[in-house]
Amino acid sequence: MSIASKQSQPLTCGSEYGRLQKVVLCQPQYMAIEEVINETQEQFKEENIESQRALKQHRQFSRLLQEHGVEVIELPPDPRYPEQVFTRDIGFTIGEQVFISSMATDIRQGEEKVLETWLRQAHLSYSPLTSSPIEGGDILINGRTVYAGISSRTDGQAVAELQSRLPDYEVLSIPFDEKYLHLDCVFNILSPDEALVFSKALGKKERELLASRFRLIEVSEEEQFTLGTNVLSIGGKTVFSLPVNKRVNEQLAERGYRVIEADITEIIKSGGSFRCCTLPLLRG
């Protein structure tokens, strides 16, 4: 089912690395670890989030995106949703379709309705996914292939529904160790033939599949914890990455990537980094 208005405008996204032109963010105004829903939060539940520091870091990230020609749309923060900064999870764009996610945890249910309201007000078409849980952090695109993580947040039934909505695409299920939350915490596509990976989280079959399709850049266990895989490409082999992930950044630079280092270490305490904080609507 697709919902649209007569004034619907085309959006498109065919990869993780095309030129990013339009993206949805949400400031972490009410960000807090209120209920532990992933392994990273377990490590920081006592320390929790310093919200003003998170806000400052997020605003700097938003400014940098705009300075690089990206149109930033900001959803209104809602005090009911302490995880709302992670806009990647509430929807995803594949081809010319914007899909609305079905959130797996109670504390995040409702966030997707804020996105749905904005899309409707902006006269943009969208397709809700309703059969069972699916979140955008588990969905990665490379042309006509979609990699769908099977996790605690996305199940096989939802992936089957997605495949039925995308008959012209190959949707590949990629199960991984669920303690790593979303697929983009252990695998991220950088170019048509290169990707970051934390192999330890994957089974032998999945490692072999990804190795047959990409030149894989291995991320250490230490830098996986600081979300070294969760970079954001804005096109032209330019990526946002955390300064603390020195080896990841060195490996990217060695392969010809321009690395924009930005500090959002307060935000990653809740289990997400640059990719998690961004919902692309338009990539060139």
Side-chain angles (χ1 to χ4, degrees):
M1 177 180 64
S2 181
I3 300 171
S5 80
K6 293 180 181 178
Q7 301 176 37
S8 180
Q9 302 169 0
L11 299 173
T12 186
C13 187
S15 74
E16 302 295 328
Y17 45 79
R19 186 171 70 87
L20 185 60
Q21 298 176 55
K22 184 179 292 191
V23 71
V24 176
L25 273 62
C26 184
Q27 292 193 25
Q29 187 170 341
Y30 304 105
M31 190 177 184
I33 302 173
E34 293 185 2
E35 177 185 324
V36 174
I37 57 173
N38 62 59
E39 291 284 323
T40 306
Q41 288 182 346
E42 182 68 37
Q43 300 293 317
F44 292 104
K45 64 182 178 180
E46 300 301 326
E47 181 179 337
N48 218 296
I49 309 296
E50 206 291 289
S51 60
Q52 289 306 306
R53 185 165 183 257
L55 269 170
K56 182 179 179 181
Q57 291 178 349
H58 190 270
R59 286 168 180 157
Q60 174 65 10
F61 173 45
S62 178
R63 282 195 296 272
L64 285 168
L65 283 171
Q66 292 172 69
E67 287 171 9
H68 285 82
V70 181
E71 178 186 348
V72 172
I73 296 145
E74 292 200 351
L75 296 179
D78 188 313
R80 294 174 294 176
Y81 308 129
E83 305 289 326
Q84 206 178 1
V85 68
F86 301 128
T87 54
R88 174 71 62 160
D89 299 328
I90 60 176
F92 46 92
T93 309
I94 300 177
E96 295 181 356
Q97 295 190 67
V98 179
F99 292 95
I100 301 289
S101 299
S102 177
M103 307 304 287
T105 57
D106 291 346
I107 199 168
R108 298 204 63 181
Q109 288 170 6
E111 289 181 39
E112 72 281 16
K113 299 299 182 185
V114 180
L115 172 63
E116 191 171 345
T117 297
W118 177 80
L119 288 167
R120 192 166 55 248
Q121 291 172 346
H123 307 294
L124 296 168
S125 63
Y126 59 91
S127 297
L129 292 164
T130 57
S131 65
S132 56
I134 184 168
E135 296 185 0
D138 282 321
I139 305 299
L140 292 98
I141 318 154
N142 191 27
R144 289 286 172 175
T145 302
V146 177
Y147 297 86
I150 303 297
S151 68
S152 61
R153 306 299 183 87
T154 299
D155 67 21
Q157 184 178 342
V159 173
E161 181 186 4
L162 182 62
Q163 177 68 89
S164 72
R165 303 278 194 96
L166 295 168
D168 297 329
Y169 286 75
E170 175 189 36
V171 180
L172 294 174
S173 295
I174 308 291
F176 63 95
D177 188 332
E178 291 184 355
K179 80 174 186 178
Y180 295 105
L181 186 59
H182 288 125
L183 183 60
D184 64 8
C185 295
V186 298
F187 170 66
N188 197 357
I189 300 168
L190 298 167
S191 76
D193 56 10
E194 286 186 308
L196 289 163
V197 70
F198 176 60
S199 296
K200 184 178 175 181
L202 301 166
K204 183 175 184 290
K205 177 183 174 183
E206 288 70 39
R207 290 196 300 270
E208 290 176 349
L209 170 67
L210 296 180
S212 73
R213 295 183 175 219
F214 299 96
R215 295 194 301 275
L216 297 175
I217 303 168
E218 188 68 40
V219 175
S220 69
E221 189 162 10
E222 179 184 24
E223 292 196 331
Q224 188 286 321
F225 181 74
T226 48
L227 294 168
T229 60
N230 203 257
V231 301
L232 174 72
S233 173
I234 60 170
K237 294 196 77 170
T238 300
V239 298
F240 278 85
S241 184
L242 288 166
V244 296
N245 292 324
K246 297 184 187 312
R247 182 57 188 145
V248 166
N249 297 344
E250 288 171 359
Q251 290 184 91
L252 291 175
E254 287 167 3
R255 287 163 174 79
Y257 290 88
R258 178 191 174 203
V259 179
I260 302 171
E261 294 189 347
D263 182 10
I264 58 167
T265 47
E266 198 65 26
I267 291 169
I268 74 166
K269 291 178 181 178
S270 206
S273 190
F274 296 106
R275 189 177 189 274
C276 295
C277 290
T278 50
L279 167 53
L281 294 177
L282 181 61
R283 279 192 187 271

